C-alpha cells in the first residue's frame, strides 16, 4: 500500500489536481475542503503527509498546521503548504506554525512529486 496523503484546499479543482498527480505516483489521497473538515477526515487514521492551502473558510491552513502540531500523532508529520501566497511574512507564519515546506501555486506536477517524495518517501 502506498503512502497516505491528506490534500486540503477549498478549491475542488486544486484538490483534484493534487489528488490526480499523487494517485498517479502510487499515493493514497484523502481530501478535505478546509481545516475543520481535514481534522474530521483524519479522525483516528494517520497519514504520512498533509498538503494544505492557506486561505480557506472555517479554519485556514495556518490554523490547521497549529492544530496538527498540537496533536502528538502529527507532531512530526510533514506538512506542505500549497498556496498562491508567496509573501515572506506568510511563509514565516507557516514555518512558525510548524509547516515543513512551501509550494506556490500554480504548481508543476513533477515539482510537487519531487517535494512529496523528499519529505515522505
Amino acid at each position: 500500500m502506498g503512502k497516505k496523503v491528506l490534500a486540503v484546499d477549498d478549491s475542488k479543482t486544486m484538490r483534484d489536481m493534487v489528488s490526480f498527480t499523487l494517485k498517479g505516483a502510487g499515493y493514497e489521497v484523502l481530501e478535505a475542503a478546509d481545516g475543520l473538515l481535514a481534522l474530521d477526515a483524519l479522525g483516528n487514521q494517520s497519514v504520512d503527509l498533509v498538503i494544505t492551502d492557506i486561505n480557506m473558510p472555517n479554519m485556514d491552513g495556518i490554523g490547521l498546521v497549529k492544530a496538527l502540531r498540537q496533536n502528538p500523532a502529527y507532531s512530526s508529520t510533514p506538512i506542505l503548504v500549497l498556496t498562491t501566497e508567496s509573501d515572506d511574512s506568510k511563509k514565516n507564519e507557516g514555518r512558525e506554525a510548524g509547516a515543513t515546506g512551501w509550494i506556490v501555486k500554480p504548481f508543476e506536477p513533477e515539482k510537487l512529486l519531487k517535494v512529496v517524495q523528499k519529505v515522505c518517501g
Side-chain angles (χ1 to χ4, degrees), residues 3-8 18 22 27-30 42 46-52 68 74 77-81 100-101 103 112-113 115-121:
K3 300 256 181 168
K4 199 182 291 186
V5 179
L6 173 62
V8 189
V18 170
L22 295 177
Y27 293 90
E28 186 182 335
V29 183
L30 302 174
L42 290 172
S46 65
V47 295
D48 301 291
L49 170 69
V50 175
I51 300 175
T52 183
L68 289 172
Y74 292 99
T77 301
I79 302 173
L80 295 176
V81 174
T100 311
I103 302 169
L112 177 66
L113 283 175
V115 175
V116 167
Q117 287 161 351
K118 193 163 136 185
V119 297
C120 85

Side-chain angles (χ1 to χ4, degrees), residues 52-54 56 59-67 81 90 93-95 97 102:
T52 183
D53 186 20
I54 290 284
M56 300 179 290
M59 178 188 278
D60 70 2
I62 301 291
L64 175 61
V65 172
K66 287 178 178 171
V81 174
K90 276 283 185 198
E93 196 180 346
R95 258 189 229 106
W102 197 274

